[in-house]
Amino acid sequence: MARPRSLGEPPPDYTPPSRTAAPQILVGSLKAPLWLRAYFQGLLFSLGCRIQKHCGKVLFLGLLTFGALALGLRVSVIETDLEQLWVEVGSRVSRELQYTKEKLGEEAAYTSQMLIQTPRQEGENILTPEALRLHLQAALAASKVQVSLYGKSWDLNKICYKSGVPLIENGMIERMIEKLFPCVILTPLDCFWEGAKLQGGSAYLPGRPDIQWTNLDPEQLLEELGPFASLEGFRELLDKAQAPSVAQELSGGCHGFSHKFMHWQEELLLGGMARDPQGRLLRAEALQSTFLLMSPRQLYEHFRGDYQTHDIGWSEEQASTVLQAWQRRFVQLAQEALPENTSQQIHAFSSTTLDDILHAFSEVSAARVVGGYLLMLAYACVTMLRWDCAQSQGAVGLAGVLLVALAVASGLGLCALLGIAFNAATTQVLPFLALGIGVDDIFLLAHAFTEAPPGSPLQERMGECLLRTGPSVALTSINNVVAFFMAALVPIPALRAFSLQAAIVVSCNFAAVMLVFPAVLSLDLHRRHCRRLDVLCCFSSPCSARVIQIVPQELADRTVPVSIAHLTATVQAFTHCEASSQHVVTSLPPQAHLVPPPSDPLSSELFSPGGSTRDLLGQEEGTRQKAACKSLSCARWNLAHFARNQFAPLLLQSHAKAVVLVLFGALLGLSLYGATLVQDGLALTDVVPRGTKEHAFLSAQLRYFSLYEVALVTQGGFDYAHSQRALFDLHQRFSSLKAVLPPPAAQAPRTWLHYYRNWLQGIQAAFDQDWASGRITHHSYRNGSEDGALAYKLLVQTGDAREPLDFSQLTTRKLVDKEGLIPPELFYVGLTVWVNSDPLGLAASQANFYPPPPEWLHDKYDTTGENLRIPAAQPLEFAQFPFLLHGLQKTADFMEAIEGARAACTEAGQAGVRAYPSGSPFLFWEQYLGLRRCFLLAVCILLVCTFLVCALLLLNPWTAGLIVLVLAMMTVELFGIMGFLGIKLSAIPVVILVASVGISVEFTVHVALGFLTTQGSRNLRAARALELTFAPVTDGAVSTLLGLLMLAGSNFDFIVRYFFVVLTVLTLLGLLHGLVLLPVLLSILGPPPEVVQLYKENPEVLSPPAPRPGGLRWGLSPTLPQSFARVTTSMTVALHPTPLPGTYIHPASDEPAWSPAATPAANGSSNLTPRGPSPATE
């Protein structure tokens, strides 16, 4: 009788092929995806071996490079300018803003400091004498603010904005008038005499006390100053500027010091108003006073060359410092003006307050950064420490987290060197987000390094680690980088900068993990080889003296029934620590008994895991055994054990699949409904920390005074003089918009062209009166009024440079024709006269002409005739019509107003007038017109890119399609959950939603790879994928959550809601979809396996080398005549099920050169060992 062949023997007809035939066999037996992946893994294997060989040099150079890049943080710039952060790049708003800056400069004409008074008892009426006296007390305290800087004292009268100061030839009188000229203060106190107390100007005249607004008699002052200068123009001004009436009521608003030009509407002064059926004001819930200050440039120009600043090197920076110091003091004193026991409360705010908020929002919280990284250090150390010193990696975990911290710093430093400005998202979020993503890959490599295949040479350990984990790290990192680069498509500068910085930081993390961290692992391997303690590597390990003699045993030929899948031996194990590889070697004696397979058909073919693993592209079939002391069941439990024995069998049952699909379908349906609840917008109250005084002011302002100053800008490129009708029509269309606050019927229109025309009609009427009375004749105007003389000079103008004057036109023409239009030949000449003769009208119109008309002083008593020659203004390239928008509470209101304004400008363009709207609503809210379209475009492009990247690296479009399907579902569900949480859609959530596609790849690719590279039915492969990836996916989610945890402690509710909450929800969705939904989908719709058993009638295989002396030989049952069985030296050994007739299985070998190559998935691995030429298949 023929002796049965042992497992290590080939069939009798086997002829070993030559070595030269191996590559052809290898290539010919693999599909293209496996061959390409094997080539890529071969490159990673070579890289790992070289890093291990030169680990010290690599570590030194890596730390040196990353440290040098981190020094770039010294040149970082934090951007806090709202326009630079939020105005869409390349948009029409950006172009319009640039045009405005080219014509007018960088700054607005003035800055606003506001006081809002509200009752402490909500809903209480504030229109009482007591409330008004308290408002006066707070406003008076704020108006008396003084700050001392550069050896000078600065008060409100020096830095406030003064509108319409007349030009006076006498310098001394001009300075006196300027000191007395009132500041522009919009306050309900202007309805009463007490409003004059807010004006702090004073002047000195010999023989009388200081002149102030509280003791000023304007007409008496003119009489006293008359002998020193001609004040007729100022007398005209005072005739127009009537003092506020003490008896004037608040109803209908109040008037400033110029009754004709300064009318403060109710909406500017009162909030929460209630009226009776007849429209009379009954009550209000808020009062508002607004103090206007000069801009830094205006303040610099105002005091440049002045005797008060000649000795301090006056500069624009100093002017800005003065204004900021005054504004901070203003807010402080105003908030402290009323005692706590009063019935009213004061909310104060200034432009500097907003700048301070943005600076505080952008500052790096050192405590939170240090706390987050210390927490991650503790987590890494605790989770990687082991009692077995040969397996413990606590020091590796600490070094890995510190390396990620250095990589994040180097990435941000590189961004600074590239000129990418930092912002609040960079400083508040990116360090923690990058930490969570980077540490995930650190855990991946560290776990895989401890699970090197048994018998692999010591010098190739790092190569094996990168071979098995490198593709996974590359795939997830590339997807993250692509996701953030796609998020840079959002054209908001702040978010584009954040996306680019995140992409660069993730790239630095990837480089650190793939190049520097392997050197750390190699050094730790040296520590283990020298038998040193973990962390405290200066001390020897206690297990170094523990040596147990191995007793080689041989198992005789046994009959193994086909139905038996597990062989369990009851033994006395003899172990020792092998010096070459630090493996615990176990010897099995011949006494063995067979255990029937478990009833679970899934777990019967799954191999027992050796612990948590990140080996996503392949796992070794055998598991290494520890010393033969029987451990408790709780000590053997881990996440992989839970996934194999409890989770996967339950999830992959038919009824469980149905429940999962129904639940996730319901979640998707609810999310689609929630998506309809998402509103656009980002209010300033969302950014400011709740509970602060600034938040209280912004909340009160949004509730009671939702007013926005805007302007309709007309550009150059058309003839203003011949387009007056089109300009009037444009103003009419704009004024008819729903959001535009209409002026009271008694107030003059808020348009420079109306003011200009009305002024011309006024002086024409004065001329007509003087002409009719004979005070003005063809040859003289000296006896006429000031206005009549001005009209005389304009009426004789021809607009012809060769013959500029024609006196015959005095009675044959009018300054304004019957249609209400100014004669084109007089337009620019008259503009010069109006600008220089009607300062209050010009200031009220807020025209901001560019180029500005030339200076010209009217002198009625000029006898030379030169005063008749009036220089014409240059053709206008910039002018504006001011408007007030009201009732803008929601983003939809802003969008409606923006669309109406744009439509009006488009219609004007058809008539030849080039115009555009300007103001904060157009700067910061116009982005919402195309934000959703931009979001959908970015997500679609990113999903396509993710599909291409996954299809390229996985070489399986089917799997890539399923991954993209799950990612799209997660994005929709995250968007819907935002709607239920009340999180509004703005540029920041859009960036997170776009980046979530890349971040979610971490949760899906792992499972898909595990499914793709295993054999069996779809259920078995899904279960195997869960077993291999449940632990790494969970660990990755925990590390990400720990990285985000510090965001929960931010002082800014905005950071908590828009970053921590959204990213936490994303992480939880990723866990559910990656570990629940995707396995179910793969078990139903998954692609076929990449590797299957090869069935041949005449197999030709390579002969394995002879077993080592003392090795284990396992006999083959005579009942399996055509099969070879592979087993490993583990306490529980898995045997393959009976192969089909005509098949064969290669005998396994523990020789490293005989790692399976052709069918890696058959052994639970898809990795092709590149260092050996063997193409042996199993």
Side-chain angles (χ1 to χ4, degrees), residues 414-452:
L414 179 58
C415 294
L417 294 175
L418 293 176
I420 304 176
F422 291 10
N423 55 67
T426 305
T427 58
Q428 297 283 336
V429 178
L430 190 53
F432 306 104
L433 181 61
L435 173 66
I437 295 175
V439 171
D440 184 27
D441 293 332
I442 291 294
F443 289 153
L444 178 69
L445 263 70
H447 283 300
F449 190 70
T450 61
E451 297 164 358

Short mmCIF file of all heavy atoms in Angstrom, two decimals, residues 414-452:
data_model
loop_
_atom_site.label_atom_id
_atom_site.label_comp_id
_atom_site.label_asym_id
_atom_site.label_seq_id
_atom_site.Cartn_x
_atom_site.Cartn_y
_atom_site.Cartn_z
N LEU A 414 4.54 76.45 6.44
CA LEU A 414 4.66 76.49 4.99
C LEU A 414 3.58 77.39 4.38
O LEU A 414 3.84 78.14 3.42
CB LEU A 414 4.55 75.07 4.43
CG LEU A 414 4.62 74.92 2.91
CD1 LEU A 414 5.93 75.49 2.37
CD2 LEU A 414 4.48 73.46 2.51
N CYS A 415 2.39 77.34 4.94
CA CYS A 415 1.32 78.23 4.46
C CYS A 415 1.70 79.70 4.66
O CYS A 415 1.45 80.54 3.79
CB CYS A 415 0.02 77.93 5.20
SG CYS A 415 -0.68 76.30 4.85
N ALA A 416 2.31 79.99 5.82
CA ALA A 416 2.74 81.36 6.07
C ALA A 416 3.81 81.78 5.08
O ALA A 416 3.80 82.91 4.57
CB ALA A 416 3.24 81.50 7.50
N LEU A 417 4.75 80.88 4.78
CA LEU A 417 5.80 81.20 3.82
C LEU A 417 5.23 81.40 2.42
O LEU A 417 5.77 82.17 1.62
CB LEU A 417 6.85 80.09 3.81
CG LEU A 417 7.67 79.95 5.10
CD1 LEU A 417 8.59 78.73 5.00
CD2 LEU A 417 8.50 81.20 5.36
N LEU A 418 4.15 80.70 2.10
CA LEU A 418 3.51 80.85 0.79
C LEU A 418 2.62 82.08 0.72
O LEU A 418 2.05 82.36 -0.33
CB LEU A 418 2.69 79.60 0.47
CG LEU A 418 3.49 78.31 0.25
CD1 LEU A 418 2.55 77.13 0.04
CD2 LEU A 418 4.44 78.44 -0.93
N GLY A 419 2.48 82.79 1.83
CA GLY A 419 1.69 84.02 1.82
C GLY A 419 0.21 83.81 2.02
O GLY A 419 -0.57 84.73 1.76
N ILE A 420 -0.21 82.65 2.50
CA ILE A 420 -1.63 82.40 2.77
C ILE A 420 -1.95 82.94 4.17
O ILE A 420 -1.42 82.44 5.16
CB ILE A 420 -1.97 80.90 2.68
CG1 ILE A 420 -1.55 80.35 1.31
CG2 ILE A 420 -3.44 80.66 2.92
CD1 ILE A 420 -1.76 78.86 1.18
N ALA A 421 -2.79 83.94 4.24
CA ALA A 421 -3.10 84.58 5.52
C ALA A 421 -3.94 83.67 6.39
O ALA A 421 -4.79 82.92 5.91
CB ALA A 421 -3.84 85.90 5.28
N PHE A 422 -3.68 83.72 7.69
CA PHE A 422 -4.46 82.94 8.65
C PHE A 422 -5.74 83.71 8.99
O PHE A 422 -5.84 84.91 8.82
CB PHE A 422 -3.67 82.71 9.93
CG PHE A 422 -2.50 81.77 9.77
CD1 PHE A 422 -2.08 81.36 8.51
CD2 PHE A 422 -1.80 81.31 10.86
CE1 PHE A 422 -1.01 80.51 8.35
CE2 PHE A 422 -0.73 80.45 10.72
CZ PHE A 422 -0.34 80.05 9.46
N ASN A 423 -6.72 82.97 9.48
CA ASN A 423 -7.96 83.57 9.94
C ASN A 423 -8.49 82.75 11.10
O ASN A 423 -7.82 81.84 11.60
CB ASN A 423 -8.98 83.68 8.80
CG ASN A 423 -9.26 82.35 8.14
OD1 ASN A 423 -9.83 81.46 8.75
ND2 ASN A 423 -8.85 82.20 6.87
N ALA A 424 -9.68 83.10 11.55
CA ALA A 424 -10.23 82.43 12.74
C ALA A 424 -10.38 80.93 12.53
O ALA A 424 -10.13 80.13 13.45
CB ALA A 424 -11.58 83.05 13.11
N ALA A 425 -10.80 80.50 11.35
CA ALA A 425 -10.95 79.06 11.10
C ALA A 425 -9.60 78.35 11.19
O ALA A 425 -9.52 77.21 11.66
CB ALA A 425 -11.58 78.84 9.72
N THR A 426 -8.54 79.01 10.75
CA THR A 426 -7.21 78.41 10.82
C THR A 426 -6.77 78.22 12.25
O THR A 426 -6.31 77.14 12.64
CB THR A 426 -6.20 79.29 10.08
OG1 THR A 426 -6.64 79.52 8.75
CG2 THR A 426 -4.84 78.64 10.06
N THR A 427 -6.92 79.26 13.05
CA THR A 427 -6.39 79.21 14.41
C THR A 427 -7.27 78.45 15.38
O THR A 427 -6.78 77.86 16.34
CB THR A 427 -6.18 80.64 14.92
OG1 THR A 427 -7.43 81.34 14.88
CG2 THR A 427 -5.19 81.38 14.06
N GLN A 428 -8.57 78.46 15.15
CA GLN A 428 -9.49 77.86 16.11
C GLN A 428 -9.80 76.39 15.82
O GLN A 428 -10.16 75.65 16.72
CB GLN A 428 -10.81 78.65 16.13
CG GLN A 428 -10.67 80.08 16.59
CD GLN A 428 -10.53 80.20 18.09
OE1 GLN A 428 -10.93 79.32 18.84
NE2 GLN A 428 -9.92 81.27 18.54
N VAL A 429 -9.70 75.98 14.58
CA VAL A 429 -10.21 74.66 14.20
C VAL A 429 -9.12 73.75 13.63
O VAL A 429 -9.01 72.59 14.01
CB VAL A 429 -11.36 74.80 13.17
CG1 VAL A 429 -11.86 73.44 12.71
CG2 VAL A 429 -12.49 75.62 13.75
N LEU A 430 -8.32 74.27 12.72
CA LEU A 430 -7.41 73.42 11.97
C LEU A 430 -6.43 72.62 12.82
O LEU A 430 -6.19 71.45 12.53
CB LEU A 430 -6.65 74.27 10.94
CG LEU A 430 -5.84 73.51 9.90
CD1 LEU A 430 -6.70 72.48 9.19
CD2 LEU A 430 -5.22 74.47 8.90
N PRO A 431 -5.82 73.18 13.89
CA PRO A 431 -4.91 72.37 14.69
C PRO A 431 -5.55 71.11 15.26
O PRO A 431 -4.91 70.05 15.33
CB PRO A 431 -4.47 73.33 15.80
CG PRO A 431 -4.64 74.68 15.22
CD PRO A 431 -5.86 74.59 14.35
N PHE A 432 -6.81 71.20 15.65
CA PHE A 432 -7.48 70.04 16.25
C PHE A 432 -7.97 69.07 15.17
O PHE A 432 -7.88 67.85 15.35
CB PHE A 432 -8.66 70.52 17.10
CG PHE A 432 -8.27 71.55 18.12
CD1 PHE A 432 -8.56 72.88 17.92
CD2 PHE A 432 -7.61 71.18 19.27
CE1 PHE A 432 -8.20 73.84 18.85
CE2 PHE A 432 -7.24 72.12 20.21
CZ PHE A 432 -7.53 73.45 20.00
N LEU A 433 -8.48 69.59 14.07
CA LEU A 433 -8.93 68.73 12.99
C LEU A 433 -7.76 67.95 12.40
O LEU A 433 -7.85 66.74 12.16
CB LEU A 433 -9.62 69.57 11.91
CG LEU A 433 -10.17 68.81 10.70
CD1 LEU A 433 -11.22 67.80 11.14
CD2 LEU A 433 -10.76 69.78 9.68
N ALA A 434 -6.65 68.62 12.17
CA ALA A 434 -5.47 67.95 11.62
C ALA A 434 -4.91 66.93 12.59
O ALA A 434 -4.40 65.87 12.19
CB ALA A 434 -4.41 68.98 11.25
N LEU A 435 -4.99 67.21 13.89
CA LEU A 435 -4.52 66.25 14.89
C LEU A 435 -5.31 64.96 14.82
O LEU A 435 -4.75 63.86 14.80
CB LEU A 435 -4.63 66.87 16.28
CG LEU A 435 -4.33 65.95 17.47
CD1 LEU A 435 -2.87 65.53 17.46
CD2 LEU A 435 -4.67 66.63 18.79
N GLY A 436 -6.65 65.09 14.77
CA GLY A 436 -7.47 63.88 14.72
C GLY A 436 -7.23 63.05 13.48
O GLY A 436 -7.18 61.81 13.54
N ILE A 437 -7.04 63.72 12.33
CA ILE A 437 -6.82 62.98 11.09
C ILE A 437 -5.43 62.36 11.07
O ILE A 437 -5.25 61.21 10.66
CB ILE A 437 -7.00 63.93 9.88
CG1 ILE A 437 -8.46 64.40 9.81
CG2 ILE A 437 -6.62 63.25 8.59
CD1 ILE A 437 -8.71 65.43 8.72
N GLY A 438 -4.41 63.09 11.55
CA GLY A 438 -3.04 62.59 11.49
C GLY A 438 -2.78 61.45 12.44
O GLY A 438 -2.09 60.47 12.09
N VAL A 439 -3.31 61.52 13.66
CA VAL A 439 -3.05 60.47 14.64
C VAL A 439 -3.69 59.15 14.21
O VAL A 439 -3.20 58.08 14.55
CB VAL A 439 -3.56 60.92 16.03
CG1 VAL A 439 -3.53 59.78 17.03
CG2 VAL A 439 -2.72 62.08 16.53
N ASP A 440 -4.77 59.22 13.44
CA ASP A 440 -5.38 58.00 12.94
C ASP A 440 -4.38 57.16 12.15
O ASP A 440 -4.28 55.95 12.32
CB ASP A 440 -6.58 58.38 12.06
CG ASP A 440 -7.34 57.17 11.58
OD1 ASP A 440 -7.30 56.13 12.27
OD2 ASP A 440 -7.97 57.24 10.52
N ASP A 441 -3.61 57.80 11.28
CA ASP A 441 -2.61 57.07 10.51
C ASP A 441 -1.45 56.59 11.38
O ASP A 441 -0.84 55.56 11.11
CB ASP A 441 -2.08 57.95 9.38
CG ASP A 441 -3.15 58.25 8.34
OD1 ASP A 441 -4.07 57.41 8.19
OD2 ASP A 441 -3.09 59.30 7.70
N ILE A 442 -1.15 57.35 12.43
CA ILE A 442 -0.10 56.90 13.36
C ILE A 442 -0.51 55.58 14.02
O ILE A 442 0.28 54.63 14.10
CB ILE A 442 0.13 58.00 14.43
CG1 ILE A 442 0.79 59.21 13.81
CG2 ILE A 442 0.98 57.45 15.57
CD1 ILE A 442 2.17 59.00 13.29
N PHE A 443 -1.75 55.49 14.49
CA PHE A 443 -2.23 54.25 15.07
C PHE A 443 -2.21 53.12 14.05
O PHE A 443 -1.88 51.98 14.37
CB PHE A 443 -3.67 54.43 15.59
CG PHE A 443 -3.76 55.29 16.81
CD1 PHE A 443 -4.90 56.02 17.09
CD2 PHE A 443 -2.70 55.39 17.70
CE1 PHE A 443 -4.99 56.81 18.22
CE2 PHE A 443 -2.77 56.17 18.82
CZ PHE A 443 -3.92 56.89 19.08
N LEU A 444 -2.53 53.44 12.83
CA LEU A 444 -2.57 52.43 11.78
C LEU A 444 -1.22 51.77 11.60
O LEU A 444 -1.10 50.54 11.62
CB LEU A 444 -3.02 53.10 10.48
CG LEU A 444 -3.10 52.24 9.22
CD1 LEU A 444 -4.22 51.25 9.35
CD2 LEU A 444 -3.31 53.12 8.01
N LEU A 445 -0.18 52.56 11.45
CA LEU A 445 1.14 51.99 11.24
C LEU A 445 1.67 51.29 12.48
O LEU A 445 2.31 50.24 12.40
CB LEU A 445 2.13 53.08 10.81
CG LEU A 445 2.36 53.21 9.31
CD1 LEU A 445 1.10 53.75 8.62
CD2 LEU A 445 3.53 54.13 9.02
N ALA A 446 1.39 51.87 13.65
CA ALA A 446 1.91 51.28 14.89
C ALA A 446 1.30 49.90 15.13
O ALA A 446 2.01 48.95 15.49
CB ALA A 446 1.62 52.20 16.07
N HIS A 447 0.00 49.75 14.91
CA HIS A 447 -0.64 48.45 15.10
C HIS A 447 -0.12 47.44 14.08
O HIS A 447 0.15 46.28 14.41
CB HIS A 447 -2.16 48.58 14.98
CG HIS A 447 -2.80 49.16 16.20
ND1 HIS A 447 -2.72 48.58 17.43
CD2 HIS A 447 -3.55 50.29 16.37
CE1 HIS A 447 -3.37 49.31 18.31
NE2 HIS A 447 -3.88 50.35 17.69
N ALA A 448 0.00 47.88 12.84
CA ALA A 448 0.44 46.96 11.81
C ALA A 448 1.89 46.53 12.03
O ALA A 448 2.27 45.41 11.69
CB ALA A 448 0.29 47.61 10.43
N PHE A 449 2.71 47.38 12.61
CA PHE A 449 4.12 47.05 12.80
C PHE A 449 4.30 45.93 13.81
O PHE A 449 5.24 45.13 13.69
CB PHE A 449 4.85 48.31 13.27
CG PHE A 449 6.34 48.17 13.29
CD1 PHE A 449 7.05 48.08 12.10
CD2 PHE A 449 7.05 48.12 14.48
CE1 PHE A 449 8.42 47.94 12.10
CE2 PHE A 449 8.41 47.99 14.49
CZ PHE A 449 9.11 47.91 13.29
N THR A 450 3.41 45.88 14.80
CA THR A 450 3.53 44.81 15.79
C THR A 450 3.00 43.49 15.27
O THR A 450 3.18 42.46 15.92
CB THR A 450 2.75 45.18 17.06
OG1 THR A 450 1.37 45.34 16.72
CG2 THR A 450 3.28 46.47 17.65
N GLU A 451 2.35 43.47 14.13
CA GLU A 451 1.71 42.28 13.61
C GLU A 451 2.38 41.84 12.31
O GLU A 451 1.74 41.45 11.35
CB GLU A 451 0.22 42.54 13.39
CG GLU A 451 -0.50 42.84 14.70
CD GLU A 451 -1.85 43.47 14.48
OE1 GLU A 451 -2.19 43.70 13.32
OE2 GLU A 451 -2.54 43.75 15.46
N ALA A 452 3.70 41.96 12.29
CA ALA A 452 4.44 41.51 11.12
C ALA A 452 4.27 40.01 10.95
O ALA A 452 4.06 39.27 11.92
CB ALA A 452 5.91 41.86 11.27
#
